[in-house]
Amino acid sequence: MIGIETLDEFIIRRQSDFPYAQGELSRLLRDIGLAAKVVNREVNKAGLVDILGSTGTTNVQGEEVKKLDVFANLRFIGALKLGGQSCGVASEENKSFVTFDDEISKNAKYVVSLDPLDGSSNIDVNVSVGTTFSIYRTVSPSGTCSIEDFLQRGSEQAAAGYVIYGSSTMLVYTTGKGVNGFTLDPSIGEFCLSHPNMQIPKNGKTYSINQGYFIGFPDGVKEYIRYCKEDDKATNRPYSLRYIGSMVADIHRNLITGGIFIYPTTRGSPKGKLRLLYECNPMAYIVEQAGGRATDGFNRILDLEVTELHQRTPIFIGSEEMVLNAEGFMREYSSRVPKRGK
Ligand code: P6P
């Protein structure tokens, strides 16, 4: 197709960004793209076949597992196993990581952490959902896959991205050389480059937070919300509150229009709700690569030590100036202000 570059063509063309790479990361990204197309097909017809609703089970998070969750998890893990470019996968849906012991995979150079279907509570009401993924080079001896391969800081990611199954289906990823977005063209079954070199606006007029939890928010978040609602034309306030309840969709919108997404500590989630390994780290890598900022209110997300697979963290992510401003409120109103260097 003249003028259209598919995901596969783009990955191959950008292979030269990594002179020493043998193509494994490229093949791994293409495996993820394939799985995304299969999951997209089911997400788009979920209302028509018997995969709506719940399996009647709960996942390691204690959250009700929707049938599409299970389907997506199996598809991504299956595609990664078949592709042979990763030796293991950590998933929101699995208590521990899965290793691939076949001859090809066990010497693979990468591991993948993913949330196969984020925002799945929205499936039955036809609201956008997403997949998030992080790719790391292994650190354990070749031929082995251990927990240390997964418990790496977000700053060590080789690549990260997300798929949003919305009014159109997009795959957005980075390998540390900027962020590029691909829209699925169902007529040819290919992700096509639609958003080259994505850059998040430095400022915005949208804030995303579940204000239903206001009473349990830290004082700095309460004061920041009050700031967002004040009338001040010079600073485009009051801002608009947009909260979809699907992190990928909220952050994707803010990536394009500018804005801030906050999931702070709450009474119900004293460490925050979102998972560091396979939700916050990939989204933080993407947003930073697009010129934005991502912290826990005090510390850079990508620098946070990762101590367990399903570790949670508060997250403030989006337009750089908005996140810096929110951090200012956190410092001013929080007794827990970490001393520099400690
Ligand atoms: P709440 C979806 O379950 C999710 O993990 C994110 O996608 C979303 O941003 C958040 O939880 C919504 O949580 O507590 O506001 O319903």
Side-chain angles (χ1 to χ4, degrees):
M1 315 270 283
I2 297 170
I4 288 182
E5 184 169 31
T6 67
L7 174 65
D8 286 4
E9 290 163 336
F10 180 89
I11 290 171
I12 290 166
R13 176 166 65 84
R14 294 292 290 268
Q15 171 81 36
S16 56
D17 287 350
F18 307 94
Y20 305 109
Q22 307 302 315
E24 294 95 336
L25 181 58
S26 299
R27 280 194 291 276
L28 182 46
L29 287 165
R30 291 163 68 187
D31 294 339
I32 289 174
L34 174 63
K37 286 192 265 191
V38 173
V39 170
N40 172 69
R41 184 185 61 201
E42 298 307 317
V43 166
N44 276 346
K45 64 181 183 183
L48 302 175
V49 295
D50 180 30
I51 50 176
L52 265 183
S54 168
T55 59
T57 60
T58 56
N59 64 16
V60 66
Q61 323 295 336
E63 293 167 344
E64 182 187 58
V65 177
K66 299 283 184 181
K67 288 181 181 176
L68 220 44
D69 273 339
V70 175
F71 176 85
N73 196 39
L74 293 173
R75 288 291 80 74
F76 276 100
I77 292 177
L80 292 168
K81 179 176 173 59
L82 201 62
Q85 305 307 319
S86 58
C87 59
V89 177
S91 166
E92 185 198 38
E93 296 302 328
N94 296 66
K95 190 172 180 60
S96 184
F97 60 95
V98 173
T99 56
F100 303 144
D101 299 324
D102 54 280
E103 211 41 48
I104 306 174
S105 305
K106 73 180 194 176
N107 295 304
K109 293 179 183 172
Y110 297 98
V111 293
V112 180
S113 296
L114 61 87
D115 182 351
L117 211 58
D118 173 71
S120 52
S121 53
N122 288 310
I123 292 170
D124 291 354
V125 294
N126 212 4
V127 168
S128 299
V129 292
T131 298
T132 52
F133 63 89
S134 263
I135 301 173
Y136 288 90
R137 289 171 201 81
T138 55
V139 293
S140 52
S142 180
T144 61
C145 181
S146 63
I147 189 72
E148 286 73 25
D149 294 318
F150 296 95
L151 301 185
Q152 300 183 58
R153 281 185 170 75
S155 54
E156 297 303 313
Q157 291 175 94
Y162 63 85
V163 182
I164 178 167
Y165 310 94
S167 52
S168 65
T169 293
M170 281 189 70
L171 187 150
V172 177
Y173 83 93
T174 183
T175 55
K177 305 261 182 185
V179 178
N180 292 282
F182 300 79
T183 299
L184 184 64
D185 179 342
S187 69
I188 58 172
E190 293 285 3
F191 281 107
C192 301
L193 183 62
S194 53
H195 296 66
N197 190 27
M198 296 178 81
Q199 291 290 305
I200 185 170
K202 287 297 179 189
N203 215 329
K205 300 184 285 189
T206 301
Y207 70 108
S208 310
I209 191 168
N210 186 338
Q211 288 199 177
Y213 304 141
F214 184 88
I215 290 172
F217 284 160
D219 289 344
V221 173
K222 291 179 179 176
E223 292 305 321
Y224 179 66
I225 290 173
R226 290 190 180 99
Y227 169 86
C228 291
K229 297 198 285 188
E230 282 171 353
D231 215 348
D232 177 28
K233 293 288 175 279
T235 53
N236 294 313
R237 288 180 290 149
Y239 295 152
S240 296
L241 172 57
R242 292 285 184 274
Y243 192 73
I244 301 171
S246 201
M247 175 195 68
V248 171
D250 278 314
I251 294 178
H252 178 74
R253 179 204 51 245
N254 293 348
L255 182 63
I256 293 172
T257 64
I260 184 172
F261 173 89
I262 302 175
Y263 205 112
T265 58
T266 66
R267 280 184 181 161
S269 303
K271 294 184 178 176
K273 176 184 181 184
L274 301 179
R275 273 64 59 153
L276 176 59
L277 195 72
Y278 40 76
E279 292 174 334
C280 297
N281 270 337
M283 298 312 281
Y285 192 22
I286 288 273
V287 167
E288 280 200 5
Q289 281 287 311
R293 184 178 175 84
T295 69
D296 63 3
F298 301 98
N299 310 289
R300 185 181 180 229
I301 290 287
L302 296 184
D303 289 339
L304 296 179
E305 190 182 1
V306 183
T307 56
E308 53 184 77
L309 288 182
H310 303 292
Q311 176 177 341
R312 298 175 191 266
T313 178
I315 185 167
F316 296 59
I317 183 171
S319 295
E320 185 178 34
E321 289 173 23
M322 296 182 84
V323 174
L324 284 168
N325 190 24
E327 288 171 24
F329 282 90
M330 289 299 284
R331 275 195 303 278
E332 184 179 350
Y333 289 92
S334 165
S335 52
R336 184 182 71 86
V337 180
K339 298 287 176 288
R340 185 172 296 281
K342 288 183 183 173

